[in-house]
Amino acid sequence: MKITPAAPDDLPKLLAFRQEAAAWLGKLGTDQWSRPYPADLLLATIKSGAVFMVRDGEVTAATITLTPDAEEGLWAEEKLSEPSMFVNKLTVARTHAGRNLGERLLDWAGDRAYQAQAKWLRLDAWTTNEGLQQYYLRQGFEHVRTVREGGAVNGGPRVSGWLAQRPARPAEHGFVDATPAPQSLPLT
């Protein structure tokens, strides 16, 4: 499998991924991703070079967003002073579930963050999705805090405020990496 940068014409696939994931999550009893994500915001993220796709031949198997920019209002100033990369919107197609793609993508993200001279790989997860939180803990993340104040980028109250981090580190992820080398983060 190959990981590549997303392109603007991947937008419909990414929006469909999110709908597919929301339906699956709904069957598990969570409302995670039940509100649509604004297409214009996702397109801007794609154009910024922060969205990546895992391709299995001609099929898109998964996606991840990896950015040096923290969502406003989540991380304390002391944490923001440490060089970090942030994982968002990690999604695996149901056709490729059970193949450790999520774990491998987190390893890829941690390796890419390390190459960019980040100290931390950080994420925010759905506040009420305890199964997802446990998954991230099993992947070596440490819970930092939970933020419930503020609003979500797609409207309504903040719902993704469970914050976790693990050290950025080199990793063998098994993907053919067809992405450009990451830019080094400014050291603070």
Side-chain angles (χ1 to χ4, degrees):
M1 284 188 228
K2 181 190 291 189
I3 189 161
T4 65
D9 61 352
D10 288 316
L11 180 63
K13 180 64 177 173
L14 289 165
L15 293 171
F17 258 24
R18 191 168 175 103
Q19 289 176 331
E20 176 189 54
W24 173 70
L25 289 163
K27 290 177 185 174
L28 297 177
T30 178
D31 65 346
Q32 182 171 339
W33 291 356
S34 59
R35 288 192 308 244
Y37 193 83
D40 60 326
L41 293 180
L42 185 53
L43 183 59
T45 308
I46 292 168
K47 289 179 177 179
S48 78
V51 182
F52 303 92
M53 309 289 277
V54 174
R55 313 228 190 235
D56 186 6
E58 296 299 314
V59 176
T60 302
T63 182
I64 190 171
T65 298
L66 183 64
T67 177
D69 302 317
E71 185 177 325
E72 190 173 328
L74 285 178
W75 294 89
E77 286 302 318
E78 71 200 44
K79 298 290 186 189
L80 291 174
S81 69
E82 302 169 324
S84 304
M85 297 285 286
F86 299 86
V87 170
N88 295 283
K89 298 183 237 8
L90 171 59
T91 312
V92 176
R94 295 293 84 215
T95 56
H96 285 71
R99 300 185 195 183
N100 290 328
L101 286 182
E103 178 180 346
R104 291 172 58 199
L105 271 171
L106 290 170
D107 286 345
W108 174 84
D111 184 65
R112 189 169 179 83
Y114 178 82
Q115 291 175 44
Q117 300 179 347
K119 178 178 180 181
W120 298 106
L121 180 64
R122 292 180 165 150
L123 56 82
D124 60 276
W126 208 255
T127 306
T128 59
N129 189 338
E130 292 180 15
L132 181 60
Q133 296 163 14
Q134 291 301 312
Y135 171 79
Y136 286 127
L137 292 171
R138 288 191 306 273
Q139 301 309 314
F141 285 84
E142 178 181 319
H143 179 239
V144 175
R145 70 183 182 133
T146 301
V147 178
R148 290 185 169 82
E149 301 81 32
V153 296
N154 57 344
R158 179 178 309 286
V159 288
S160 190
W162 185 87
L163 307 182
Q165 65 185 17
R166 75 179 192 194
R169 60 182 182 244
E172 290 295 324
H173 46 73
F175 296 118
V176 173
D177 192 342
T179 65
Q183 292 185 348
S184 293
L185 297 175
L187 299 176
T188 54

